[in-house]
Amino acid sequence: MFSYSLLCPPCFSPTLRSPSVHGVCWPKTLLSRNGSFNSANKTKPRRGMTACVSSGVNPEIGERLYLGMDFGTSGARFALIDKQGNLHAEGKREYPEYMSGDTRDWVSSWKVTLFSLLEDIPVHLRSLIASMSVDGTSATTMIIDSKSGDTLGRPFLYNESCPDALPVVKSIAPENHTVCSGSSTLCKLVSWWNSNDTNKGSVVLMHQADWLLWLLHGKLGISDYNNALKVGYDPELESYPSWLQSQPYSNALPSVIAPGKPIGHLKEDIAQKHGFSNDCMVCTGTTDSIAAFLAARATQTGKAVTSLGSTLAIKLLSTRRIEDARYGVYSHRLDDKWLVGGASNTGGAVLRQIFTDEQLEKLSEQIDPSEASPLDYYPLQTAGERFPVADPNMMPRLLPRPGSDVQYLHGILESIARIEGKAYSLLKDLGATPVEEVFTAGGGSKNEKWIKIRERVLGVPVSRAIQTEAAYGAALLALKGVEGKI
């Protein structure tokens, strides 16, 4: 394995500060249809970006490879695998901080990062790539002029809420539908539609992954049914529901196909410039969280992935679709199965408020995971919980604190495990397939004592997922697009 740092023009620094979350509307569009930057925008990079690339096993003669790219909240990664899932190369980049005036220019950052990742792929492997796919953050929404390819205003980011549109959406959608959230893609579309007086006859909605893939294949207005879920697409019926098709903005909705399906070949100019083969196929993508689940290779119903990051998020592969907006529970389609998910506000962020990383490591070593803790907490950073308890006023419960920090940490870890157990029980009560095995991702997956505590509390096998990077999951989708299965 080797790693090295790259600086690519126009980047001048190997450091990059964390990106801001919200922005304001751009005064002018940023990209022309041919992908060049409009000089009128005077978009300039404020800080540089770094690349870290590792190369793995050498491919055999005649072997084809499959490329996945993950566009997360602060940076992007790529993973290059073979048919057996062996990793041949991987790399990551932080987003360069492009600015348009005082506004963060995300469109330029994403585009530059996309083509920088293509340049980061080892040259001798590029011609072996048979297909590629991209995942992006869920509900990151872009409004595009289908005639020019220009972006109409700034993107709506994944965590951005549009409360102005929520009453309108609730008035047309079924009760407790996934779109009945201020951060849903549909709320973002309605908010843009009602606040813009421009000609809307050629408008098309695209998600972040859709747009990035369009830059590669050139066919505008194509999405996948994972990304399209939060705009109201029904993956079970494989169509938009009638209540959505009757709206004035229905013509702006993208066409939808399954994730990991071939869209078209990589554009000829990109293939020639970067040294890819002319038959390299571009496939539909998915969301970053779905790609991370795919990376764990949990392919049978009853298998689940718990992500122990700042919060606790669970995803369970089920034979039945479950939707309940009260708890923030919704289902993504995965072929003939359903990936049921929910997220609690408990998690690692609470631990970081109380203990340092060094303390967590040393105290955890002293915990006996076979012994149940008598302490009963509900660890939250602030008031409010949604899943598995729907209570916006729930207060954090982290008292009484015993004199022993080991006992205190044990009680918190056990309490989070109980919340995880209640979450899987709730999904079962709502009709999902009962959990049979749990793979663990996120920072909490490194704590072996916590894994053993959770295994005792959940009553099913719990282990650390071998692969957790969303880019690896996107590469599996690229493999599926050519080979027909993962």
Side-chain angles (χ1 to χ4, degrees):
M1 301 285 286
F2 65 92
S3 64
Y4 53 91
S5 180
L6 299 174
L7 294 179
C8 66
C11 306
F12 305 101
S13 168
T15 59
L16 176 68
R17 68 169 178 258
S18 299
S20 58
V21 173
H22 297 284
V24 295
C25 290
W26 291 318
K28 298 178 181 179
T29 56
L30 295 169
L31 295 173
S32 65
R33 187 171 182 83
N34 63 12
S36 62
F37 292 103
N38 290 331
S39 58
N41 295 314
K42 298 181 180 179
T43 303
K44 298 179 180 179
R46 180 173 290 183
R47 300 290 290 273
M49 66 178 175
T50 60
C52 182
V53 181
S54 296
S55 180
V57 297
N58 291 320
E60 297 180 1
I61 296 176
E63 187 172 27
R64 301 306 300 269
L65 302 178
Y66 310 91
L67 174 65
M69 290 178 281
D70 161 52
F71 279 70
T73 56
S74 60
R77 295 174 179 265
F78 80 83
L80 192 60
I81 66 172
D82 60 27
K83 189 183 297 187
Q84 289 71 40
N86 299 314
L87 192 62
H88 287 257
E90 61 182 337
K92 62 181 179 180
R93 280 187 177 258
E94 294 174 316
Y95 295 133
E97 192 171 331
Y98 283 89
M99 303 296 295
S100 180
D102 295 328
T103 304
R104 182 69 185 263
D105 177 358
W106 286 107
V107 170
S108 297
S109 294
W110 294 336
K111 181 181 178 182
V112 167
T113 302
L114 173 68
F115 289 101
S116 295
L117 287 181
L118 296 182
E119 280 294 318
D120 291 341
I121 298 168
V123 175
H124 69 285
L125 298 179
R126 296 180 194 174
S127 63
L128 304 179
I129 297 174
S131 58
M132 59 181 67
S133 186
V134 176
D135 73 74
T137 49
S138 176
T140 293
T141 307
M142 305 175 73
I143 309 298
I144 309 294
D145 184 334
S146 62
K147 293 182 178 179
S148 65
D150 292 337
T151 55
L152 300 177
R154 63 172 182 83
F156 292 86
L157 299 184
Y158 67 101
N159 59 351
E160 191 168 347
S161 183
C162 296
D164 58 303
L166 187 56
V168 177
V169 170
K170 284 186 173 181
S171 70
I172 60 173
E175 187 178 4
N176 295 330
H177 194 281
T178 305
V179 299
C180 296
S181 166
S183 60
S184 72
T185 311
L186 184 57
C187 277
K188 292 164 183 173
L189 172 60
V190 171
S191 179
W192 182 89
W193 191 271
N194 290 339
S195 61
N196 280 270
D197 297 326
T198 56
N199 183 2
K200 303 183 179 75
S202 60
V203 165
V204 62
L205 178 147
M206 298 186 78
H207 305 89
Q208 180 190 31
D210 307 337
W211 182 79
L212 290 164
L213 288 165
W214 165 66
L215 294 177
L216 299 175
H217 60 65
K219 299 179 181 180
L220 197 64
I222 299 175
S223 187
D224 64 90
Y225 56 54
N226 293 155
N227 271 297
L229 185 74
K230 292 183 179 179
V231 78
Y233 184 82
D234 189 331
E236 192 168 15
L237 299 177
E238 298 186 345
S239 67
Y240 290 105
S242 58
W243 58 263
L244 187 54
Q245 293 187 41
S246 63
Q247 302 306 314
Y249 42 78
S250 62
N251 288 337
L253 299 172
S255 59
V256 179
I257 55 180
K261 290 291 186 181
I263 303 173
H265 288 107
L266 183 65
K267 291 166 68 175
E268 185 177 354
D269 59 330
I270 298 175
Q272 291 180 353
K273 178 180 179 181
H274 296 278
F276 295 101
S277 65
N278 291 329
D279 66 347
C280 181
M281 186 64 65
V282 180
C283 304
T284 44
T286 186
T287 67
D288 54 352
S289 62
I290 301 299
F293 181 90
L294 294 173
R297 309 298 286 265
T299 57
Q300 297 177 327
T301 55
K303 308 292 185 182
V305 173
T306 294
S307 180
L308 293 172
S310 298
T311 59
L312 183 151
I314 70 172
K315 284 186 166 57
L316 169 69
L317 202 56
S318 171
T319 57
R320 289 188 61 188
R321 179 184 185 182
I322 307 298
E323 307 279 343
D324 197 318
R326 294 173 300 171
Y327 301 105
V329 172
Y330 56 91
S331 298
H332 280 285
R333 182 178 170 183
L334 287 181
D335 295 326
D336 60 345
K337 304 178 183 69
W338 295 94
L339 189 57
V340 185
S344 168
N345 291 331
T346 193
V350 182
L351 293 170
R352 290 285 181 83
Q353 284 183 329
I354 303 170
F355 303 106
T356 65
D357 288 347
E358 184 179 1
Q359 287 174 322
L360 286 170
E361 185 176 351
K362 290 183 176 180
L363 294 173
S364 294
E365 291 175 354
Q366 304 173 58
I367 293 175
D368 182 355
S370 65
E371 294 288 333
S373 171
L375 299 171
D376 183 22
Y377 302 134
Y378 207 106
L380 297 170
Q381 276 190 296
T382 57
E385 177 64 307
R386 191 177 191 187
F387 176 77
V389 179
D391 183 358
N393 300 313
M394 175 180 280
M395 297 300 296
R397 191 171 72 247
L398 288 161
L399 297 174
R401 177 167 183 166
S404 166
D405 283 346
V406 175
Q407 292 178 11
Y408 191 41
L409 177 59
H410 188 176
I412 295 174
L413 295 180
E414 184 119 0
S415 295
I416 294 176
R418 294 184 191 124
I419 294 169
E420 180 185 3
K422 290 177 182 176
Y424 283 115
S425 294
L426 174 62
L427 294 186
K428 178 183 176 181
D429 292 342
L430 293 174
T433 301
V435 63
E436 296 178 359
E437 184 177 7
V438 175
F439 299 98
T440 310
S445 66
K446 301 174 184 177
N447 191 321
E448 292 294 335
K449 295 294 183 74
W450 199 3
I451 285 180
K452 292 179 180 178
I453 289 171
R454 292 168 50 231
E455 191 168 53
R456 171 173 49 79
V457 172
L458 297 178
V460 298
V462 178
S463 61
R464 183 179 180 183
I466 297 174
Q467 282 287 348
T468 60
E469 292 294 346
Y472 187 92
L476 289 174
L477 280 181
L479 168 62
K480 178 185 178 184
V482 174
E483 300 296 331
K485 62 180 180 179
I486 297 176

